Amino acid sequence: ERHAEFGILHIDAHCDLRDAYEGFEFSHASIMFNVLRDVPSVKKIAQVAVRDFSGTEAALAASCGRIATFGDLSLAAAMFRGETWDALCRRIVDALPQEVYVSFDIDGLTFENCPHTGTPVSGGLTFNQAVWLHITNPPFFMSIPAVTEQRPGYSMNSWSSAAEQYKQTLSLISL
């Protein structure tokens, strides 16, 4: 109720557009589906670096006017053709309304930035690309992101690394 309309900048390896995952309607794999269904004040979701999704999710993303997809392969292709990351970031930001909530999943980054994620997927944004995308976004509001999909049991270094990357990102955003 606080914001009449807003967008979501969704950085993730996955679209999270399943109506349910393993029978669970409120799964992490369903969060953006639930947002589309239950939160009409979300006018646009810009999905960035997505690269692991079902055919049903791809069809929903392609047919829904409230979703702008900037898939990992299409971003890479644009850069191979000479488009700068700055220009791509501006295109992403231009797809969103003025007020934006950021949903930043650790597996939206490249594998070397999150080696112990529970859902490893090749590709993704570099740390600097993620920071630059946040910097080019006009003033926005955001929730402090959780370190999600990090697989425990390897060492605290992986958790510390992920937490440190978020801390660095947040400090750079506030410049």
Side-chain angles (χ1 to χ4, degrees):
E1 301 299 323
R2 183 174 158 200
H3 299 277
E5 1 182 289
F6 62 99
I8 297 176
L9 175 60
H10 179 220
I11 300 169
D12 197 330
H14 308 93
C15 290
D16 296 344
L17 291 172
R18 296 171 186 233
D19 60 352
Y21 182 68
E22 296 184 356
F24 185 51
E25 179 182 357
F26 298 103
S27 162
H28 70 283
S30 304
I31 187 67
M32 294 302 156
F33 179 88
N34 293 334
V35 165
L36 290 170
R37 184 190 64 205
D38 300 334
V39 189
S41 56
V42 171
K43 297 305 175 191
K44 186 68 84 169
I45 299 172
Q47 297 197 310
V48 179
V50 293
R51 54 202 183 275
D52 184 18
F53 42 84
S54 70
T56 303
E57 289 176 292
L60 176 58
S63 67
C64 180
R66 292 169 63 198
I67 299 174
T69 303
F70 299 90
D72 191 60
L73 188 56
S74 65
L75 291 171
M79 288 188 288
F80 292 147
R81 289 189 305 270
E83 194 167 355
T84 66
W85 180 245
D86 183 64
L88 289 167
C89 288
R90 295 191 188 288
R91 235 185 333 136
I92 293 165
V93 169
D94 287 347
L96 290 162
Q98 180 65 34
E99 293 190 276
V100 177
Y101 171 89
V102 178
S103 173
F104 190 9
D105 194 316
I106 190 74
D107 65 18
L109 297 174
T110 57
F111 187 70
E112 61 269 10
N113 285 292
C114 57
H116 300 300
T117 181
T119 53
V121 182
S122 295
L125 302 181
T126 67
F127 173 77
N128 288 336
Q129 285 174 320
V131 170
W132 191 255
L133 176 56
H134 285 290
I135 288 172
T136 60
N137 203 356
F140 60 88
F141 66 98
M142 86 182 268
S143 165
I144 302 302
V147 178
T148 60
E149 298 194 28
Q150 194 68 0
R151 188 174 1 168
Y154 287 94
S155 72
M156 281 308 291
N157 290 340
S158 64
W159 284 95
S160 298
S161 173
E164 183 60 28
Q165 286 181 26
Y166 278 126
K167 182 177 131 189
Q168 289 175 13
T169 302
L170 294 173
S171 67
L172 289 168
I173 291 168
S174 65
L175 293 175

